[in-house]
Amino acid sequence: MNNTNFDSLGIGASLSRALAEIGYDQPTAIQAQAIPELLAGNDLLGIAQTGTGKTAAFALPILETLIANSVRAQAKCPKVLILAPTRELAAQIRDEVASYARHTSIRYTCIFGGVNQNPQVKTLAKGVEVLVATPGRLLDLANNRHVDLRQVSHLVLDEADRLLDMGFIRDVKKIIRMLPRDRQSLLFSATMPAEVADLAAEILDRPTRIN
């Protein structure tokens, strides 16, 4: 019998209230494994398919850390960067973050190409704690000084194998060079080809590995 709940994993009242409202009673296997490790500040390498609850596995402990430390981002300087390969996945992650953070003051946004950048630029200028982005649009905005990644404390690469399959490896590496070395880094991938393993070795510091 699994008696684990989100509260026992270290998730506080504001997030737990939101989880109860959306019907999340018990953590999935990856959430139960990942949340304590991430709250402890460890880097993480997750081998996980879509549908395992991996977004909550990384979003909940990161949001809890922001809440516990009363983190407030400056204009254009997000604290959390989540990179996704497609606009659809980026929007989905943003929606999940919004759902979990509904009873907090955490600000978030999503940026991707194929749409007018002006609304994205305006939102970044106001300041957001959590930025979900596709690599191409993020690089464009960073190169034009609409976003500054030097204060990022948490990096998440989601569906890293798809990021590489879609030809984003150079963009991802350029983005990583813009980040501070002192950060918590997470990489999730459904598969672990050599390129993903090499990238994980490059960006993660003694990570906890979860299958």
Side-chain angles (χ1 to χ4, degrees), residues 1-135:
M1 183 74 178
N2 179 14
N3 293 318
T4 304
N5 56 35
F6 289 101
D7 180 65
S8 69
L9 294 175
I11 298 303
S14 296
L15 299 180
S16 293
R17 178 182 168 196
L19 291 170
E21 289 171 356
I22 59 180
Y24 281 21
D25 298 321
Q26 289 187 323
T28 66
I30 192 170
Q31 292 161 7
Q33 293 177 73
I35 288 171
E37 294 290 339
L38 295 174
L39 286 174
N42 298 322
D43 283 9
L44 189 138
L45 173 60
I47 314 301
Q49 306 286 340
T50 299
T52 54
K54 64 180 165 65
T55 303
F58 65 75
L60 290 172
I62 289 174
L63 293 172
E64 187 61 43
T65 300
L66 295 179
I67 294 166
N69 295 326
S70 302
V71 172
R72 200 72 176 164
Q74 298 175 359
K76 302 183 183 180
C77 297
K79 294 294 186 179
V80 178
L81 174 61
I82 303 170
L83 286 179
T86 66
R87 58 189 292 177
E88 292 80 13
L89 180 59
Q92 179 185 323
I93 294 169
R94 185 267 323 278
D95 290 347
E96 290 197 50
V97 168
S99 186
Y100 307 145
R102 62 176 67 178
H103 299 302
T104 77
S105 60
I106 291 169
R107 300 165 297 172
Y108 44 82
T109 196
C110 176
I111 61 172
F112 45 72
V115 297
N116 189 316
Q117 72 173 30
N118 291 337
Q120 299 174 356
V121 169
K122 288 179 181 177
T123 301
L124 290 168
K126 295 175 183 175
V128 296
E129 283 72 53
V130 180
L131 174 60
V132 189
T134 54

